[in-house]
Amino acid sequence: MLPQITTFDSTSDKYQFAFKSGHSTSQCAGAVKEVVNYYVNTNSHVFACFIDLTKAFDRVNNWKLFNHLLDDGIDVRLVRLLAHWYTGQQVSVLWSNIRSLPFTVNNGTKQGGVLSPYLFTRYLRELLVALSLSNSGCIIGNTPTNVFAYADDLVILAPCWRAMQSLLVICKRYCDLLDLRCNTLKTVCMVFAPRNKRRVVCSSFPNFVLDGQPLQFVTEFRYLGHIITNSLCDDADIHREIRNMYYRTNTLVRIFW
């Protein structure tokens, strides 16, 4: 059934790295670093905002999702079949060998479902389209490079403070339309300074505001398992990989020695 409901949008799908053959978290994090490197090497600041969406898979509004599929020209019979599956699903909670009474779930994608990854990325497409076509934020050549996503892990990039705040306003507006919520306590921002220190405009900037809440600035953030620092130094990431190598090696030694 997946081939029958899969559609491609050249505007936004190139910014979504999840659930694709030949794509990985390393590739997504690497693309973010390359864009930042390009700007700081051309004597520009770069502002990054790492967006945390609260329980994004569970908050998918099924009826809005089905309307998106119909807009894509998906066969109405397939959409009706999906609607039947999703509106009739019931779950129960198992706790200490005691199972609760079943109750109906009216939103969210099915955990472990083969279609769920595609359905979620299709649902998020509207947000990525809005950000990439906003004419705000980082642009290399004629290609917007202001947003990158791995499933629900988003990072927004802009070369100036005002552009970033504008992108956050767009993000909030489309999250409201999609019934998604940004966790402002876990959403953080980072500033990358130009390589040429004489081009540094300011050492501190006002906090960005999302959903009426100020966002915290950090100097280091773990994005998709990779450590990104505002100095673009890879030492912390290299040490992490070395520790992981020692862990995997010791595991193999314990098993086969």
Side-chain angles (χ1 to χ4, degrees):
M1 184 176 180
L2 182 59
Q4 283 73 37
I5 67 167
T6 300
T7 58
F8 176 75
D9 180 81
S10 58
T11 304
S12 67
D13 287 356
K14 57 189 173 186
Y15 302 109
Q16 177 61 263
F17 286 73
F19 315 121
K20 289 181 178 179
S21 175
H23 292 67
S24 65
T25 56
S26 299
Q27 191 178 23
C28 184
V32 172
K33 289 183 178 181
E34 285 300 317
V35 173
V36 174
N37 263 313
Y38 173 84
Y39 272 86
V40 298
N41 287 329
T42 52
N43 301 320
S44 171
H45 284 80
V46 181
F47 297 87
C49 185
F50 300 92
I51 306 289
D52 183 85
L53 297 175
T54 304
K55 299 185 181 300
F57 284 84
D58 295 333
R59 296 189 65 91
V60 171
N61 184 311
N62 292 333
W63 295 109
K64 291 182 179 180
L65 170 62
F66 300 148
N67 282 327
H68 292 330
L69 295 177
L70 291 174
D71 292 339
D72 290 344
I74 303 301
D75 191 325
V76 65
R77 291 170 296 181
L78 294 178
V79 178
R80 284 177 178 172
L81 178 60
L82 286 173
H84 174 73
W85 285 349
Y86 274 84
T87 55
Q89 63 181 339
Q90 289 190 327
V91 300
S92 58
V93 178
L94 181 64
W95 181 264
S96 297
N97 296 322
I98 299 176
R99 185 179 297 276
S100 71
L101 294 174
F103 55 92
T104 303
V105 176
N106 295 317
N107 58 285
T109 55
K110 292 185 176 182
Q111 293 187 13
V114 176
L115 299 177
S116 296
Y118 170 73
L119 293 177
F120 177 78
T121 53
R122 173 59 190 90
Y123 189 72
L124 202 64
R125 183 185 290 173
E126 312 303 315
L127 173 59
L128 300 184
V129 168
L131 291 171
S132 61
L133 296 182
S134 64
N135 293 321
S136 293
C138 292
I139 298 176
I140 298 179
N142 295 320
T143 303
T145 53
N146 57 355
V147 61
F148 293 92
Y150 195 92
D152 58 338
D153 289 307
L154 274 67
V155 57
I156 301 174
L157 301 173
C160 66
W161 191 95
R162 190 176 297 275
M164 175 57 76
Q165 186 58 62
S166 173
L167 289 171
L168 289 174
V169 170
I170 295 172
C171 183
K172 173 64 170 61
R173 181 165 70 247
Y174 275 83
C175 281
D176 288 344
L177 290 174
L178 295 172
D179 296 330
L180 298 175
R181 292 292 178 268
C182 295
N183 186 341
T184 54
L185 296 178
K186 293 184 178 180
T187 297
V188 297
C189 301
M190 190 179 293
V191 184
F192 301 89
R195 298 286 188 200
N196 186 345
K197 299 306 177 186
R198 290 179 295 179
R199 296 301 183 96
V200 174
V201 222
C202 188
S203 57
S204 62
F205 295 88
N207 292 90
F208 295 107
V209 177
L210 178 62
D211 197 15
Q213 300 296 320
L215 302 179
Q216 178 188 3
F217 279 106
V218 297
T219 57
E220 181 179 296
F221 184 75
R222 185 183 291 272
Y223 178 64
L224 302 176
H226 297 268
I227 300 172
I228 298 179
T229 65
N230 64 346
S231 64
L232 289 177
C233 177
D234 290 326
D235 287 356
D237 219 22
I238 292 170
H239 290 316
R240 176 188 61 83
E241 287 293 341
I242 292 174
R243 289 193 299 270
N244 287 340
M245 183 188 68
Y246 283 142
Y247 172 78
R248 290 191 292 266
T249 303
N250 289 332
T251 301
L252 290 174
V253 169
R254 286 197 302 269
I255 295 174
F256 298 105
W257 191 257

